[in-house]
Amino acid sequence: MSDTKSVLPYGSWPSPIEADDAARGDALLEWVGFLGDDVCWTEVLPEEDGRSGLMRRTADGVEEVLPPGWDVRTRVIEYGGRPWLALSGRAADGLVFTHGPDQRLHRWRPGSDPVPLSPPGAWPGELRYADFAVHGDEIWCLRETVADDTARTARRHLVAIPLDGGAAEDPTRVRELAATHHFMTGPRIEPGGDRVAWLGWDHPDMPWDTTRLMVAAVLPDGTLGAPAVRMGGEGEAVTQADWATDGSGTLYAVSDPDGWWNVHAVDRDGGTRSLCPRPEEFGEALWRIGLRWCLPLLDGTLAVIHGVGERRLGILGADGVLTDFADPATEWHFAATDGRRIAAVASSPGRRRTVVLADPADGSVRTVRAPSSEGRSLPSDASAPDADGAAPYARTPTPDAYATTPYRRTYRGDDGEPVHVHVYPPHHPEFTGPGDELPPYLVLAHGGPTSRSHLVLNQEISYFTSRGIGVVDVQYGGSTGYGRAYRERLRHRWGLTDVQDCATAARGLIAEGLADPDRIAIRGGSAGGWTAVASIAAEPGLYRAAAVYYPVLDPVSWREETHDFESRYLDGLIGPWPDTADRYAHQSPLREADRIRTPFVLLQGLDDTVCPPAQAERLLQRIDPDTVPYRCLTFEGEGHGFRRSATVAASLRAELRLYADALGFTPAAASSCSLS
């Protein structure tokens, strides 16, 4: 590569990152844990129809733990949860897991095939299991029973399933332990087995609105005593709870009575105290059952994941002193511990998702699974990182060398409220744009909407920025990571605050002379798809194109069409139905769909139970194809969030074609830039 950059119009830079590369380049690494001394994790395999394999590191590379074909994935609350658990500290004892196709609980021992522990449902997927704990000769966990494959009606129980496999043929051997709330997490059993804790909440609350921390005694016969509320309640969301390891009976809870998810100690007598009160988040929105951000260690300290708009890994001492690891990672996910070490998925602006092992004893952070698209055939030395945390085999030019350097920025809206964004400028090591030309920009609206996106190296974003197209990732009001008050900015204002904040971000870039005002597009999926459609209806002069993935669009019908977990979500985002029917009509993206003149592409999975295809169809029924050029791509076998690499690649190619036509550039021919 030359040190002198050639000049080409923005959008037309030759990039080695093709759609197929972007589709398979970012391995989806999740649900880390320990099997004996081995760190294991689940990994979505796009080339195998999105199957989720359970992986581990060996001297020969990365391999699957289970025999071929097993899919370690649970569909609890549709977004899933922790799907596997080692049965002890010894690898020889094996593990339990939920198998994706039938959702049954299985047990696996080394050298044998998995065997079912739970009975079959009336149809595949009727009974779903997640978030496991071992109690004697039983597995205690959350069980979800859904009425049909739409999951619009569901019941949840904490249950006990015998490890001997007897319940696989005799459903009466499954014991129901508790059903305190419509929604619950799995059980957390106190060391010694005397008490058990869990979280619960009911419609219309979501788990970031109001939850309750429940504790019950475990009676001698294995049943539970009367549960009691130990923390939480109206306007307070406990998002995680775990017991101390020292036998003191202390329960650690991550909750937000003061507006931030901080760590609290709940004493045996019910008293609570904040261990490290800070205007920072030590937890996240509980979209998936079994997530953890606070891990009690055997020495009495806590491993915590914390920050504002980012997450660092630190150790919280008994004296309240918090010491972070000296590691460049700015995001930590799916953390687990063996009591001494912490395993997690880590990433940063300079590093894609990586499975790492952190040791508080010496402060080291070691790479276990490097961010390679060839995850199951890594070279044997990939576990030894360079000083910057990158695996040594990545020294030759790779697509990551074409990634931009993102940065944080905060703009102010007309109301003076802050709008936090991540800016990904166009970047290519060999090309730059003309001096008299400003680049096109994509405004990215994340899903959720009670969620956030991460300022990390992202292959899908690099697909655009390496071609000369900037991306601004908007953490609009309602996003997590900035405290409850920032989340509450979206309460009853979905379709308004998010739309305004995206426009504020776009106009902020334009005002700074960073983006071409005539070449702004918007893209988003799920709730971000709602925001994208609402934005091109509300701001027809600002956006010249839109990419809309599996959107929510008609809030009235969506209440009846979506799955149980989110069926009352709109009570907080818009208002109680039907008392606020006027808001539903006013804030729906469909209200002014006939005003849309912006070209768009709509991408929809036909098996989506969260945002069913009918939502997208209602938009198309209101669009005149002679007035608004659009494309609609549907994908058999895809649900909410595409898992297959062919689907992701086809979607990205459709996006680029749209942007080229609408924003006025000519993309370089495929494979016109080589890494060799």
Side-chain angles (χ1 to χ4, degrees), residues 439-497:
Y441 256 84
L442 311 181
V443 176
L444 174 56
H446 64 70
T450 312
S451 183
R452 68 184 180 97
S453 45
H454 309 126
L455 188 73
V456 299
L457 198 158
N458 181 299
Q459 189 86 316
E460 191 170 294
I461 288 178
S462 295
Y463 175 76
F464 295 110
T465 57
S466 63
R467 286 170 164 76
I469 306 166
V471 176
V472 58
D473 191 355
V474 186
Q475 312 304 299
Y476 49 81
S479 299
T480 57
Y482 304 93
R484 180 179 279 263
Y486 197 78
R487 295 201 309 272
E488 294 288 335
R489 283 189 58 219
L490 200 62
R491 179 165 289 275
H492 297 165
R493 289 186 52 81
W494 193 33
L496 302 175
T497 295

Side-chain angles (χ1 to χ4, degrees), residues 443-447 522-533 546-551 601 603 655 659:
V443 176
L444 174 56
H446 64 70
I522 188 166
R523 71 190 301 256
S526 189
W530 159 291
T531 302
V533 175
V548 182
Y549 284 76
Y550 34 82
V601 60
L603 308 122
E655 275 198 75
Y659 301 145

Side-chain angles (χ1 to χ4, degrees), residues 356-652:
V356 299
L357 183 64
D359 191 341
D362 58 12
S364 64
V365 178
R366 184 172 66 87
T367 298
V368 177
R369 197 285 195 205
S372 164
S373 60
E374 302 298 329
R376 288 183 288 173
S377 57
L378 295 179
S380 59
D381 65 346
S383 62
D386 287 338
D388 63 357
Y393 69 89
R395 287 176 181 150
T396 57
T398 69
D400 290 357
Y402 293 78
T404 188
T405 301
Y407 60 91
R408 302 180 193 278
R409 185 75 167 86
T410 299
Y411 294 108
R412 293 279 173 178
D414 293 339
D415 56 4
E417 292 284 355
V419 179
H420 306 295
V421 305
H422 305 156
V423 181
Y424 293 81
H427 169 75
H428 194 296
E430 298 179 56
F431 295 96
T432 188
D436 59 351
E437 180 183 342
L438 292 173
Y441 256 84
L442 311 181
V443 176
L444 174 56
H446 64 70
T450 312
S451 183
R452 68 184 180 97
S453 45
H454 309 126
L455 188 73
V456 299
L457 198 158
N458 181 299
Q459 189 86 316
E460 191 170 294
I461 288 178
S462 295
Y463 175 76
F464 295 110
T465 57
S466 63
R467 286 170 164 76
I469 306 166
V471 176
V472 58
D473 191 355
V474 186
Q475 312 304 299
Y476 49 81
S479 299
T480 57
Y482 304 93
R484 180 179 279 263
Y486 197 78
R487 295 201 309 272
E488 294 288 335
R489 283 189 58 219
L490 200 62
R491 179 165 289 275
H492 297 165
R493 289 186 52 81
W494 193 33
L496 302 175
T497 295
D498 49 324
V499 170
Q500 292 166 4
D501 286 0
C502 285
T504 293
R507 292 191 170 102
L509 289 171
I510 293 168
E512 290 185 296
L514 300 176
D516 186 336
D518 295 323
R519 294 197 291 173
I520 304 293
I522 188 166
R523 71 190 301 256
S526 189
W530 159 291
T531 302
V533 175
S535 293
I536 60 176
E539 297 272 5
L542 180 60
Y543 301 107
R544 303 305 171 94
V548 182
Y549 284 76
Y550 34 82
V552 185
L553 293 173
D554 179 10
V556 176
S557 65
W558 186 74
R559 291 175 54 88
E560 304 300 326
E561 294 171 346
T562 194
H563 62 139
D564 181 51
F565 176 63
E566 291 183 271
S567 62
R568 298 292 301 276
Y569 193 7
L570 300 187
D571 284 43
L573 292 176
I574 300 176
W577 177 266
D579 297 347
T580 57
D582 57 332
R583 288 190 209 154
Y584 281 73
H586 177 67
Q587 293 171 218
S588 168
L590 298 183
R591 180 176 70 95
E592 296 183 331
D594 58 351
R595 292 186 59 203
I596 293 175
R597 297 294 182 269
T598 303
F600 66 88
V601 60
L602 197 154
L603 308 122
Q604 178 69 50
L606 294 179
D607 294 347
D608 195 335
T609 59
V610 177
C611 296
Q615 289 287 305
E617 292 165 5
R618 290 189 179 93
L619 172 64
L620 300 184
Q621 290 167 2
R622 291 165 168 80
I623 298 295
D624 181 355
D626 294 330
T627 304
V628 183
Y630 72 83
R631 293 181 68 198
C632 178
L633 279 66
T634 58
F635 301 95
E636 293 276 0
E638 289 284 14
H640 197 64
F642 298 153
R643 297 173 67 89
R644 298 174 178 172
S645 57
T647 303
V648 176
S651 301
L652 289 174

